[in-house]
Amino acid sequence: MSVHQPADEFPAFFDQAPVLRVHDALAQFLGAAAGGVITYRYVDAVRLAGHSCPTVAGAYLMVVKGLGHLYADGQLPERGGIEVMMAGGREDGATGVVAAVATLLTGAAPETGFAGIGPAHRFGRRNLLRFDVPMQGVLALRRLDSGQAVQVALDASIAPFGDEMRALMPRAVAGAAHEQELARFAQLWQARVKTMLVDEVNHPQLVQVMPFDEPLQA
């Protein structure tokens, strides 16, 4: 007999974050999604990363807004038909976290990705994610069908932590905070994420989308 499990409980503002709808030809081919249409929400990125933070929120917004520019004609972004380029190296800072969110939303994968179906490697996603690509932004996105590309930058200082958090964070990080302080820390942490995803989501400096012309490889 199955035991009823309570539903996941996430902060309510997660539902207010931008939503991304994509078309995935592989999902359509294999009958995984009706018409190949998949809807992604911020909570999907949280489940992938295992946490919600400004890095995860920023990665989600950069991909969503970058794809919005690449598919400004209203066409659904083609998951599996997008190349992702990261400015950072594989082991640099939070590059891996950002890249994982980008893979979730675009299907682009490194050499470990899906190789494709049949001799023609249809629907392959392997080698569509690259690192150490010179650019001004954090990441770049390129449509495989048209070659159109954009680079995307993030300025999380638009949503800074307040004085209360700056005083509390050292104690929380050091494991010296008591239960009430830890609860307050979590509230303030997610409040900053909410500012990015909801309150300041359309601030022109938060996510900046720019043209991208990749320099020739040496």
Side-chain angles (χ1 to χ4, degrees), residues 59 62-63 84-87 98 102 135 137-141 150-153:
M62 282 191 288
V63 175
V84 175
M85 293 154 280
M86 305 296 303
V98 177
M135 69 180 78
V138 175
L139 59 84
L141 306 167
V150 294
Q151 59 180 317
V152 193

Side-chain angles (χ1 to χ4, degrees), residues 155-163 165-166 188 191-192 195-196 200:
D155 183 0
S157 69
I158 298 302
F161 283 124
D163 292 340
M165 182 57 143
R166 285 192 287 270
L188 294 172
R192 186 184 183 199
T195 299
M196 294 175 63
E200 298 291 352

Side-chain angles (χ1 to χ4, degrees), residues 10-95:
F10 297 102
F13 75 84
F14 283 11
D15 291 336
Q16 298 176 264
V19 173
L20 176 67
R21 295 177 73 244
V22 301
H23 176 264
D24 189 314
L26 176 59
Q28 183 173 5
F29 179 72
L30 296 177
V37 177
I38 301 176
T39 299
Y40 288 102
R41 296 177 172 82
Y42 177 63
V43 71
D44 296 313
V46 172
R47 287 191 172 103
L48 172 73
H51 66 283
S52 169
C53 70
T55 296
V56 175
Y60 182 82
L61 288 177
M62 282 191 288
V63 175
V64 169
K65 289 182 175 284
L67 291 178
H69 278 69
L70 283 181
Y71 294 86
D73 57 359
Q75 178 185 0
L76 291 183
E78 188 62 40
R79 189 175 188 276
I82 300 158
E83 181 182 16
V84 175
M85 293 154 280
M86 305 296 303
R90 291 171 180 268
E91 299 180 2
D92 292 349
T95 297

